[in-house]
Amino acid sequence: MAGICCGVVGETEPAAPVDSTTRASLRRRLDLLPSIKIVADSAVAPPLESCRKRQKRETVLSRNLDLESNVRSEHKKVKSAVTNSNSVTEAESCFFSDVPRIGTTSVCGRRRDMEDAVSIHPSFLQRNSENLHFYGVFDGHGCSHVAEKCRERLHDIVKKEVEVMASDEWKETMVKSFQKMDKEVSQRECNLVVNGANRSMKNSCRCELQSPQCDAVGSTAVVSVVTPEKIIVSNCGDSRAVLCRNGVAIPLSVDHKPDRPDELIRIQQAGGRVIYWDGARVLGVLAMSRAIGDNYLKPYVIPDPEVTVTDRTDDDECLILASDGLWDVVPNETACGVARMCLRGAGPMDGDDSDAAAAHNACSDAALLLTKLALARQSSDNVSVVVVDLRKRRNNQSSS
């Protein structure tokens, strides 16, 4: 006889009594096991999932807080730098009645890396009892170290050249300054490639991993030297300077694009070509025809700036220097309209301390609004803006 439950039972052995209640309860327990497992899984899974989501949210929140903290920190640094750069000693004010107030912003935007640099040096030189002010915007490409080098050194080079300038030969002086800056950048990169003597200066550069192609790095440069009587603008590349005069936008520089007729002819005469690859590019690589650095594209890409000298008038309101991150999406007229609105909101300049502070805040607001406008219009590049208040104001000592 086949065994039941416990094994095989012989015909002579009496079968053990089977409790039907126990067998039925066992079957019920076995039947319930899958459902119990399902219920248990469903009871445990939501906390695990919510925990993961919570951890993810906390991670994102932490990153956002870190980003916000970094932005605030950089804003404080810029604000502090601007405030310090605009401070004028009493001795300086004896010579000059017109020290412009400025505002500046420089943000990475939608780019992965920050390659722009801004240089602000009010009263960087006194010449013939006149105060000279230096402002510059540099838009790097390939890496940031050429733009940073221009920020650190170009104003010193210009200062030395102006000090030995015989007369108002601004064009020759600025061309020499840019050429010297280009040589310094080239020598620095040569040292890095040949013997690594200055390699410690490039520890943070991603182009350090691209050696020996690190000469494929350069920067635009738009620089303005402002005197009580003149505005000198030197431009090399596609950054731009625009003067707002009585509500009218006056460009003081022309972008150096490879397909600009005169630049196209110059490149072709030098043996180069302009290839249209996502726009006009020198040899299909660089989207500008002049820049500091870019040794691998010489002599097609040159560091020589175009220089304009403009006489100041009582109708001058402000000067805007910016990288193409702004100008690619904001027309000259719109930029001047925004800056003019901010300056007019600050009221006329009478030389009072409160008026000077208001002018400083107005310039900062103008630079910030222009940057926000560029980002809102989907600018895909770094955005750097400098706004210089050119409105005349009285000297406190002469009016007292």
Side-chain angles (χ1 to χ4, degrees):
M1 181 178 178
I4 300 175
C5 294
C6 298
V8 178
V9 180
E11 294 180 355
T12 59
E13 297 176 357
V18 178
D19 186 358
S20 61
T21 303
T22 302
R23 184 169 58 188
S25 63
L26 178 60
R27 184 180 293 114
R28 284 196 301 271
R29 286 197 298 271
L30 292 174
D31 293 338
L32 286 173
L33 280 176
S35 60
I36 292 172
K37 185 176 184 301
I38 294 173
V39 173
D41 291 343
S42 63
V44 173
L48 291 175
E49 184 180 359
S50 62
C51 182
R52 294 192 188 98
K53 290 183 178 179
R54 184 166 58 253
Q55 290 176 350
K56 185 176 181 180
R57 285 196 299 268
E58 289 175 354
T59 302
V60 173
L61 179 59
S62 176
R63 290 176 180 175
N64 290 339
L65 290 176
D66 291 342
L67 178 60
E68 183 179 358
S69 176
N70 291 337
V71 170
R72 289 179 178 176
S73 177
E74 290 299 323
H75 177 71
K76 288 180 180 179
K77 290 179 182 178
V78 171
K79 185 176 181 180
S80 175
V82 171
T83 303
N84 293 335
S85 66
N86 280 281
S87 60
V88 181
T89 64
E90 184 177 354
E92 288 174 340
S93 63
C94 296
F95 289 97
F96 318 107
S97 61
D98 205 11
V99 179
R101 297 285 164 170
I102 63 100
T104 178
T105 58
S106 188
V107 299
C108 186
R110 291 176 173 81
R111 281 292 178 91
R112 182 186 65 181
D113 301 304
M114 181 61 178
E115 296 178 334
D116 280 8
V118 173
S119 181
I120 306 295
H121 295 278
S123 307
F124 84 116
L125 176 64
Q126 293 183 4
R127 177 180 168 83
N128 298 329
S129 299
E130 292 183 344
N131 208 9
L132 277 62
H133 319 286
F134 180 99
Y135 312 101
V137 172
F138 312 102
D139 183 0
H141 46 265
C143 190
S144 61
H145 71 264
V146 173
E148 288 294 330
K149 190 68 174 178
C150 291
R151 179 184 64 82
E152 296 170 3
R153 286 284 299 137
L154 187 53
H155 68 282
D156 286 330
I157 296 174
V158 171
K159 179 179 179 180
K160 292 178 181 178
E161 290 297 322
V162 173
E163 286 175 341
V164 298
M165 186 171 64
S167 57
D168 290 339
E169 299 174 351
W170 283 105
K171 294 186 178 181
E172 295 80 358
T173 299
M174 298 307 294
V175 169
K176 288 180 182 178
S177 300
F178 274 57
Q179 290 175 346
K180 286 188 176 182
M181 184 74 254
D182 182 70
K183 288 181 180 179
E184 282 196 15
V185 171
S186 301
Q187 291 172 356
R188 174 175 180 266
E189 296 204 0
C190 179
N191 290 335
L192 283 166
V193 175
V194 174
N195 53 34
N198 298 328
R199 183 167 294 275
S200 60
M201 298 175 63
K202 279 185 60 183
N203 287 338
S204 61
C205 291
R206 72 172 186 271
C207 66
E208 186 179 21
L209 303 176
Q210 301 173 356
S211 181
Q213 286 82 23
C214 68
D215 62 346
V217 180
S219 176
T220 71
V222 58
V223 166
S224 177
V225 176
V226 178
T227 77
E229 303 298 332
K230 297 181 182 298
I231 303 170
I232 299 93
V233 170
S234 306
N235 180 55
C236 179
D238 56 4
S239 295
R240 191 182 306 166
V242 177
L243 171 67
C244 182
R245 174 177 288 173
N246 197 23
V248 178
I250 303 175
L252 300 185
S253 66
V254 181
D255 300 351
H256 292 122
K257 296 294 187 181
D259 57 349
R260 206 179 87 175
D262 56 341
E263 289 294 284
L264 177 61
I265 294 173
R266 181 185 61 78
I267 293 170
Q268 291 176 342
Q269 288 179 347
R273 295 179 60 192
V274 174
I275 300 174
Y276 288 80
W277 183 270
D278 190 24
R281 297 175 181 270
V282 179
L283 301 185
V285 179
L286 192 62
M288 65 204 70
S289 57
R290 300 194 187 193
I292 294 175
D294 294 303
N295 294 330
Y296 74 120
L297 290 176
K298 287 181 170 56
Y300 321 126
V301 174
I302 60 176
D304 301 348
E306 288 185 314
V307 184
T308 61
V309 181
T310 305
D311 292 331
R312 294 182 61 176
T313 70
D314 292 337
D315 292 329
D316 292 346
E317 295 172 283
C318 67
L319 174 68
I320 303 174
L321 306 176
S323 60
D324 63 337
L326 174 72
W327 303 118
D328 284 346
V329 293
V330 179
N332 297 349
E333 295 76 13
T334 302
C336 282
V338 171
R340 188 171 187 247
M341 174 187 65
C342 294
L343 292 176
R344 293 186 68 179
M349 292 298 297
D350 294 326
D352 187 79
D353 291 340
S354 60
D355 291 334
H360 168 67
N361 293 334
C363 290
S364 299
D365 291 343
L368 182 61
L369 280 176
L370 288 173
T371 301
K372 288 184 175 181
L373 179 59
L375 296 177
R377 293 189 175 186
Q378 306 299 313
S379 175
S380 59
D381 205 347
N382 304 146
V383 181
S384 295
V385 181
V386 175
V387 178
V388 184
D389 185 1
L390 296 178
R391 296 175 298 171
K392 298 284 186 178
R393 57 181 179 272
R394 296 184 313 225
N395 190 326
N396 287 333
Q397 294 184 359
S398 63
S399 60
S400 58

